Amino acid sequence: MAKKQGNSRKSKIYRYFWLLFLCLSLLLVPGIQKIAASMPFPPPAPIENNDTFGARIQRTMGLLATSTPTERRQVRILFYGQSITLQEWSQDVAKDLKQRFPNADLIVENRALGGFSAPILIRPSEHDLYPFYPDLLIFHVYGGGEDYEAIIANVRRRTTSEILLHSDHIDWMPTGNSDDPEQVKRYEWHNTHSTQWLPELADKYGCEIAEIREPWRRYLKDNRLQPQQLLSDNIHLNNWGNFLLAALIKPHLRYKPNSPQPPQDLVKTYTVGSDVKWQDGKLVLEFEGNKIDAIADKTFNGKAISARIAIDGKKPSEFPELYSITRPSVTLGVGWPAIIQISSQKPLIVEDWKAVITEINSDASKFKFDVVGSKTGYDGSGTNDKLFVSNSGRVVIEPRNWWLQKAYEYSKKPTPKGFEIFWQVRPMFVDSYLPPKIADSSREYPTTLAENLSNSKHTLEIIPETDGKVPIQAIRVYRPPFSNLTSKVESFQPQISADEHG
């Protein structure tokens, strides 16, 4: 009887521990799942000799790192390139920056265009890249070295943006057994482009370089993977590939306060009252650069007044180069601009534009169109096979820049008669400074007085329009590092597959 009671007692104890184990397991499972979900793939091995990582983007990283809850610095970041840049890794990188630097006032955009290799991307970059004027450009593109370099040279001439370039991931590797000679040739070209040509370009233009090709190769070897296991097709990344690319980019996005700092005069802030003063009823600043901002005084709580702006004795609106044309609206079936570049021969005015397709054949190889401006009005008709210059000279479209037929070839969706394509002319200036409403005292409130001036010496005048105070805390001047740089890094002729145009 005593033995039976002992067994019963042991059985109860076992049941108790079993139930306790089961309850703990149920409680721990969500946590384990959460950890597994946050680290679904093995991380890459640390890269050796990484002391220089981030060294060439320290102005941007400094702005991020020194932001505080009461002084949130505005930082503009642009991702630009092709469909690889449009993938989820870029969102992962942006999310990581926002989590690591929660006090920064981050403005992040991705304006990449799938299928646009460097010889094509250089055209819409006029609408997408330079007017955005980022603090940091994160860039990757396939295609010829000459156009690739021209884009980087333009960024250096026309903005003060820091640049982070990354090299090509591995989408195929030779086996050493009856490999296709063309594939081997293409593979070796990407090796040379990534590990030799691109670092030389980065050195020439002072860009940060994230060389991912060798770390990618090592990751495949360490984890016994084939390149295809990180891809969704022949070139694009799957979830694993996106994870790896983001993991290889993030180490470069770090603040190094003890590293050599960038030239301080590329972006220079003049404090009103000490560096520049109101004299004889106006504020005058002689500066050198192509962009100038006024930073609002957030502490002012009196009656604020507006002020007239003059650059070199003229209204900013009198400078033809201070107008930008936005990227035209997209085609049917694919998110490409219907016209990849629009320019002008005569000075622009701020207005909305549209091109209306009036006749078109089934594959969009031949069509006619009218162009209409919201202020200019009807401005002429044309056909897609001839250079179009509108009656006013405010719209110029080259035949090669129509993208309707390309869209049809990709999507097989015909463009109908009456289809409209929209774009805008926007000012990169103000003729009158209007003090902004301060909704959040922790943020900075810049107003661009003029952008895209010649990168040379100018004189700014700010003249109050009535009696009172113009609440400006500081003036910020941007001076691109290069003015008339000749560009030539020895280029390798690209071996580009059809997939790399995606």
Side-chain angles (χ1 to χ4, degrees):
M1 187 76 176
K3 190 174 180 181
K4 265 189 174 181
Q5 288 176 342
N7 288 338
S8 175
R9 194 179 303 112
K10 284 181 181 179
S11 177
K12 286 180 181 178
I13 292 171
Y14 289 147
R15 282 200 299 271
Y16 170 77
F17 279 114
W18 171 248
L19 287 172
L20 180 63
F21 173 77
L22 187 62
C23 290
L24 287 172
S25 297
L26 290 171
L27 289 171
L28 290 171
V29 162
I32 294 169
Q33 288 177 334
K34 189 174 181 181
I35 293 169
S38 65
M39 279 296 272
F41 308 110
I47 299 175
E48 297 178 359
N49 303 319
N50 65 3
D51 292 345
T52 61
F53 280 16
R56 290 173 170 172
I57 55 172
Q58 283 305 293
R59 191 182 75 82
T60 299
M61 299 314 299
L63 290 172
L64 291 169
T66 58
S67 291
T68 68
T70 57
E71 289 293 334
R72 300 178 59 210
R73 302 179 187 278
Q74 187 179 104
V75 181
R76 299 169 65 83
I77 297 177
L78 179 66
F79 290 87
Y80 202 51
Q82 295 179 257
S83 55
I84 299 299
T85 304
L86 280 173
Q87 292 202 260
E88 288 78 6
W89 71 268
S90 59
Q91 300 169 29
D92 186 359
V93 169
K95 181 180 177 181
D96 176 68
L97 287 173
K98 290 175 182 178
Q99 289 176 339
R100 285 195 290 134
F101 305 105
N103 296 321
D105 183 12
L106 264 169
I107 299 171
V108 181
E109 289 197 22
N110 190 327
R111 298 185 177 185
L113 283 163
F116 282 45
S117 58
I120 302 171
L121 191 69
I122 194 170
R123 287 178 259 164
S125 67
E126 292 293 332
H127 307 305
D128 301 333
L129 175 49
Y130 317 114
F132 185 76
Y133 214 111
D135 293 298
L136 174 63
L137 169 66
I138 299 176
F139 185 75
H140 173 266
V141 72
Y142 292 114
E146 185 176 347
D147 294 295
Y148 191 125
E149 181 178 358
I151 293 171
I152 300 305
N154 281 337
V155 174
R156 283 297 190 223
R157 290 189 191 101
R158 297 166 63 176
T159 78
T160 56
S161 174
E162 294 177 316
I163 305 169
L164 191 161
L165 308 173
H166 75 80
S167 56
D168 305 337
H169 65 277
I170 294 175
D171 55 34
W172 180 88
M173 290 179 68
T175 63
N177 183 23
S178 302
D179 294 312
D180 180 354
E182 287 302 313
Q183 279 284 69
V184 173
K185 186 178 180 182
R186 173 183 167 276
Y187 171 79
E188 293 297 342
W189 183 87
H190 282 287
N191 284 343
T192 303
H193 174 81
S194 295
T195 63
Q196 294 181 30
W197 185 85
L198 205 56
E200 287 177 13
L201 185 79
D203 286 343
K204 177 175 181 178
Y205 292 96
C207 306
E208 180 78 9
I209 175 71
E211 201 300 281
I212 68 162
R213 196 163 178 86
E214 289 304 321
W216 201 282
R217 192 191 323 277
R218 179 181 175 185
Y219 187 85
L220 295 174
K221 180 180 178 182
D222 289 349
N223 293 280
R224 299 180 179 180
L225 298 169
Q226 293 299 314
Q228 192 63 38
Q229 291 178 261
L230 274 63
L231 305 178
S232 61
D233 52 26
N234 291 331
I235 186 70
H236 296 98
L237 307 172
N238 61 16
N239 289 342
W240 201 339
N242 277 294
F243 162 81
L244 180 57
L245 182 50
L248 295 174
I249 296 292
K250 290 175 187 176
H252 292 265
L253 297 166
R254 64 180 183 179
Y255 181 47
K256 302 178 65 180
N258 297 324
S259 68
Q261 295 302 298
Q264 296 300 309
D265 59 346
L266 294 186
V267 181
K268 190 171 182 179
T269 301
Y270 298 83
T271 302
V272 174
S274 56
D275 300 320
V276 57
K277 299 180 180 179
W278 293 93
Q279 290 182 340
D280 301 324
K282 61 183 178 180
L283 187 148
V284 179
L285 176 66
E286 293 183 354
F287 69 95
E288 184 173 357
N290 77 337
K291 178 182 177 182
I292 188 163
D293 289 348
I295 313 300
D297 184 354
K298 299 179 293 185
T299 64
F300 182 74
N301 55 15
K303 182 182 178 182
I305 63 168
S306 59
R308 180 165 54 87
I309 304 300
I311 305 286
D312 301 334
K314 299 191 296 186
K315 292 180 180 180
S317 59
E318 295 176 17
F319 290 80
E321 62 270 29
L322 303 192
Y323 295 78
S324 69
I325 300 172
T326 63
R327 179 198 288 185
S329 56
V330 300
T331 63
L332 291 175
V334 59
W336 292 333
I339 309 167
I340 65 170
Q341 185 179 6
I342 297 173
S343 57
S344 66
Q345 289 184 353
K346 299 292 183 181
L348 298 167
I349 60 174
V350 177
E351 63 179 322
D352 298 332
W353 284 93
K354 68 178 179 180
V356 184
I357 305 302
T358 56
E359 293 181 30
I360 189 167
N361 65 357
S362 59
D363 66 356
S365 60
K366 293 183 180 180
F367 55 86
K368 296 180 180 179
F369 59 91
D370 294 339
V371 167
V372 182
S374 59
K375 295 178 182 176
T376 302
Y378 170 77
D379 207 22
S381 302
T383 59
N384 65 302
D385 59 345
K386 291 187 175 121
L387 174 68
F388 174 75
V389 180
S390 69
N391 298 336
S392 69
R394 291 172 179 157
V395 178
V396 176
I397 306 173
E398 296 180 40
R400 65 175 184 154
N401 289 330
W402 286 100
W403 229 244
L404 297 179
Q405 185 178 4
K406 298 280 189 185
Y408 175 78
E409 291 169 355
Y410 181 86
S411 69
K412 301 305 178 186
K413 289 190 176 181
T415 300
K417 177 181 176 180
F419 183 73
E420 296 181 333
I421 303 158
F422 301 95
W423 67 95
Q424 296 176 315
V425 174
R426 292 179 179 172
M428 296 188 286
F429 64 85
V430 294
D431 283 341
S432 180
Y433 176 76
L434 302 174
K437 181 180 179 182
I438 308 299
D440 180 354
S441 62
S442 69
R443 293 181 58 222
E444 193 174 67
Y445 288 84
T447 298
T448 296
L449 306 180
E451 179 185 322
N452 204 41
L453 294 162
S454 63
N455 189 21
S456 56
K457 292 182 178 180
H458 301 281
T459 301
L460 166 72
E461 294 178 88
I462 302 179
I463 304 116
E465 295 185 328
T466 59
D467 292 335
K469 181 176 180 181
V470 183
I472 297 176
Q473 177 188 356
I475 302 294
R476 185 165 295 148
V477 173
Y478 302 75
R479 183 183 64 80
F482 301 136
S483 293
N484 296 302
L485 182 73
T486 57
S487 67
K488 196 62 185 173
V489 170
E490 184 177 350
S491 300
F492 296 90
Q493 290 303 312
Q495 305 292 324
I496 300 300
S497 70
D499 293 323
E500 285 169 343
H501 293 290

